[in-house]
Amino acid sequence: RDQMPPDRFDEPMLLSIYEGMKRSRMNVKMFVIDGYWEGNYGDLLHSTERFPHFKETLARIRSEGHLIGLWAAFMRCSNPEALGLTTANMLRLEDGQPFMIGKDVITDKPFYIMDCTQAEVQQVLRKLAREFIRRYQPEFIKFDFGYELPSLAAAAPKDMNWAGERILLKAMEVVVGAMREENPDIVVMYYSLSPL
């Protein structure tokens, strides 16, 4: 399944993977849904088109004895305006233009990296993270982000005290802090490798 195009990941595929796991008779305690479940980067909402029964699917998996893990790239944003932000709230190039990472393979939209050094971005991220935890109730989060960090030669945050890799610390402070307000026991791992 590693070779599956991301735009083919939908509810039937998710259920097929889950059923295959059950048929394997592996004793799996946690079922993790990695990437491409969102409709747009940044809103932390499932794609209602590709996953029309996402919450019900999560409830079913839980009812059959599994914990739920979800992937999230909290700093990505494909539509700042939908979140009450603008491109001025994204990491900036030297000429003041927003830094873009190319296009999302599912929506074909360019996406940005939120500048979590800005107070208004922190407020939005905290709200989104808390709602995300309340909505989906995951026990585990795969925090995906660091590989997208641009070098300072490419882009920078508004507050240069958090420039370079330090912006990841600020992002974790904001996002993980907000998630733990909703669930103090949530497990957060960086790429499912290192616990935070």
Side-chain angles (χ1 to χ4, degrees), residues 117-135:
T117 72
Q118 298 179 30
E120 56 268 44
V121 175
Q122 292 174 22
Q123 182 179 359
V124 166
L125 277 171
R126 284 187 182 102
K127 179 178 182 279
L128 288 169
R130 286 193 305 268
E131 289 173 351
F132 167 68
I133 297 302
R134 283 195 299 263
R135 183 179 303 110

Side-chain angles (χ1 to χ4, degrees), residues 14 19 29 38 45 65 88 97 183:
L14 174 60
E19 292 299 332
K29 185 66 178 166
E38 290 176 280
L45 292 168
Q97 294 299 310
N183 178 0

Side-chain angles (χ1 to χ4, degrees), residues 42-110:
D43 60 13
L44 298 175
L45 292 168
H46 67 277
S47 167
T48 56
E49 180 181 295
R50 288 181 293 110
F51 299 95
H53 306 99
F54 193 68
K55 289 172 75 174
E56 294 87 346
T57 300
L58 298 182
R60 174 187 165 202
I61 293 169
R62 267 195 196 91
S63 74
E64 294 177 2
H66 304 284
L67 301 173
I68 297 291
L70 289 174
W71 170 95
F74 294 94
M75 304 308 296
R76 290 182 184 177
C77 183
S78 58
N79 187 357
E81 291 75 20
L83 304 178
L85 300 171
T86 70
T87 55
N89 300 119
M90 306 297 117
L91 293 184
R92 316 291 290 168
L93 300 169
E94 189 175 4
D95 66 4
Q97 294 299 310
F99 171 74
M100 282 191 286
I101 296 231
K103 293 189 177 188
D104 175 1
V105 295
I106 293 177
T107 65
D108 201 38
K109 296 178 188 174

